[in-house]
Amino acid sequence: MLADRIEAKWIDAFAEAFEASAIRPDETVAILSETQSRQLNVHLAELALQRLGVRPFHVVVPTPRNPWGVIARSTGGTQSLGDIRPVVQALASSDVVVDVTLEGLMHAPETPEILKGGARILVISNEHPEALERMRPDPDLEARVKAAVKRVRAASEMTVTSAAGSDLTVAIKGAPTVGIWGSTTRPGTLAHWPGGIIVSFPSKGTVNGRLVLAPGDMNLTFKRYFEGEVALTIEDDYVVDVAGAGLDADLMRDYWAAWGDRDAYAVSHVGWGLNRNARYDALLMYDRRDTNGTELRAVAGNFLFSTGANEFAGRYTAGHFDLPMMHTTIALDGDTVVEDGKLKD
Ligand SMILES: [Fe+2]
């Protein structure tokens, strides 16, 4: 078990992450948290910023009621701001927002306004600091993520195949693509830590084929490894069939149906992991309360397939699955970038 205690080494790790985002003493830095946030990380953020000579301030909002009845996980869109105007304005007019909310600001409705104000946002994923410590931002990762983004932006087609039977095609041309390497120095941008992921949001009607989730792949909404096979048939972005016997398939069918929202079945984002410090076995090593699973999204060579909201295709829903797949081959216009789960860079 990990104890929720301040350790000097974790202040070091947080300070390194803030230095990677070039946070300076003359900048105004807001630490955004909610009442259910991991207090250890809130505290570590404050101490590390002060170690760097920064005088941060806290913005704390009560964690709101669950509006859905369904248990929402891994949405990446915190509901905690609730468009409280003075809060949004305070964040937008800060130089840096260190975001320690449970789900993060990645897809929060207020985020575009905060970025437009010129703030840069560093989301610290809701992980135990013992995990963050192992995945401090590094320049090599940044370079590799940037190179991958370039390749995807230049491509017209992404294909994903596997021995288990996956055969998916994404007409990727024009799809917004972002790379996350764990830090940000540019005003008006957002990064999350840990990083090491490339994510594209396919345009409407561009994803077709079949994905076979096999034992060892992961469902990060449930924070569990697949133990059985689940085959998804995808037509014009939407999962139209979920085949498979056993618990994994049953849980997925049940969770999807619970949202009562067709858009929960549609593709949110596609991409892959590039972080060689991210450990595939991490889901076994942490209690569920100690991990938000961002480490698994970043495991080098996974295909990160995700269903749910995709604002670029006009779809909004809080039903979200992040499904890192371990043994796929990913190609861009026929050029292999990941071969049977191994990065080819
Ligand atoms: Fe996602």
Side-chain angles (χ1 to χ4, degrees):
M1 194 199 79
L2 297 162
D4 288 348
R5 175 187 191 275
I6 299 285
E7 302 285 356
K9 61 173 185 166
W10 293 335
I11 305 176
D12 296 343
F14 275 57
E16 280 179 44
F18 296 147
E19 279 177 324
S21 287
I23 300 177
R24 299 183 315 264
D26 61 324
E27 292 186 303
T28 50
V29 181
I31 302 170
L32 172 66
S33 65
E34 56 186 299
T35 45
Q36 281 296 308
S37 287
R38 192 183 298 275
Q39 291 307 307
L40 180 55
N41 288 358
V42 176
H43 203 165
L44 287 167
E46 177 195 302
L47 293 172
L49 287 166
Q50 289 186 99
R51 177 182 287 181
L52 298 177
V54 178
R55 271 193 66 213
F57 65 98
H58 287 284
V59 175
V60 188
V61 285
T63 298
R65 271 190 170 188
N66 178 338
W68 306 291
V70 185
I71 303 168
R73 287 284 184 273
S74 83
T75 63
T78 182
Q79 299 278 316
S80 61
L81 293 189
D83 203 27
I84 303 171
R85 289 282 88 205
V87 169
V88 177
Q89 286 156 8
L91 300 176
S93 60
S94 299
D95 294 310
V96 182
V97 177
V98 174
D99 171 19
V100 205
T101 59
L102 293 176
E103 285 293 341
L105 284 170
M106 283 81 74
H107 306 298
E110 300 86 354
T111 298
E113 183 180 343
I114 296 169
L115 294 174
K116 209 173 277 167
R120 61 191 193 278
I121 301 174
L122 179 63
V123 179
I124 300 178
S125 184
N126 182 22
E127 317 292 337
H128 197 280
E130 201 263 354
L132 295 166
E133 171 196 342
R134 289 181 293 102
M135 291 176 285
R136 297 190 300 281
D138 80 82
D140 171 62
L141 180 62
E142 178 174 343
R144 289 190 298 111
V145 170
K146 282 179 172 168
V149 168
K150 234 181 225 172
R151 291 188 73 171
V152 174
R153 285 186 183 156
S156 298
E157 186 182 79
M158 176 189 281
T159 54
V160 182
T161 53
S162 74
S166 294
D167 191 356
L168 189 80
T169 303
V170 184
I172 201 100
K173 196 182 177 82
T177 297
V178 294
I180 301 283
W181 51 86
S183 62
T184 173
T185 55
R186 269 199 304 143
T189 61
L190 175 149
H192 61 71
W193 176 42
I197 306 174
I198 176 165
V199 177
S200 299
F201 296 89
S203 310
K204 213 175 200 153
T206 57
V207 187
N208 285 281
R210 184 176 145 87
L211 275 184
V212 181
L213 295 146
D217 293 339
M218 286 156 273
N219 184 319
L220 294 182
T221 303
F222 300 151
K223 297 181 186 173
R224 85 184 229 122
Y225 297 95
F226 281 84
E227 292 182 4
E229 240 179 50
V230 182
L232 308 178
T233 303
I234 297 154
E235 288 176 10
D236 291 335
D237 310 340
Y238 286 84
V239 173
V240 295
D241 187 57
V242 185
L247 183 60
D248 294 296
D250 274 350
L251 282 170
M252 285 182 82
R253 281 190 282 258
D254 185 67
Y255 191 76
W256 258 322
W259 287 98
D261 181 352
R262 185 166 177 262
D263 283 347
Y265 290 90
V267 176
S268 174
H269 54 84
V270 296
W272 68 91
L274 296 103
N275 191 331
R276 294 204 166 97
N277 292 324
R279 295 288 315 167
Y280 173 44
D281 51 22
L283 266 187
L284 292 173
M285 302 300 187
Y286 294 103
D287 292 338
R288 282 199 181 84
R289 77 178 290 274
D290 285 332
T291 182
N292 190 42
T294 298
E295 179 161 14
L296 289 311
R297 293 171 176 86
V299 167
N302 80 43
F303 172 59
L304 179 56
F305 177 76
S306 173
T307 55
N310 177 348
E311 65 205 75
F312 304 101
R315 297 189 291 261
Y316 300 86
T317 173
H320 195 84
F321 280 131
D322 277 334
L323 306 162
M325 300 173 69
M326 292 309 291
H327 287 285
T328 69
T329 293
I330 307 172
L332 299 169
D333 295 338
D335 283 345
T336 304
V337 289
V338 170
E339 187 163 23
D340 191 26
K342 298 269 182 297
L343 284 179
K344 279 196 71 178
D345 60 1

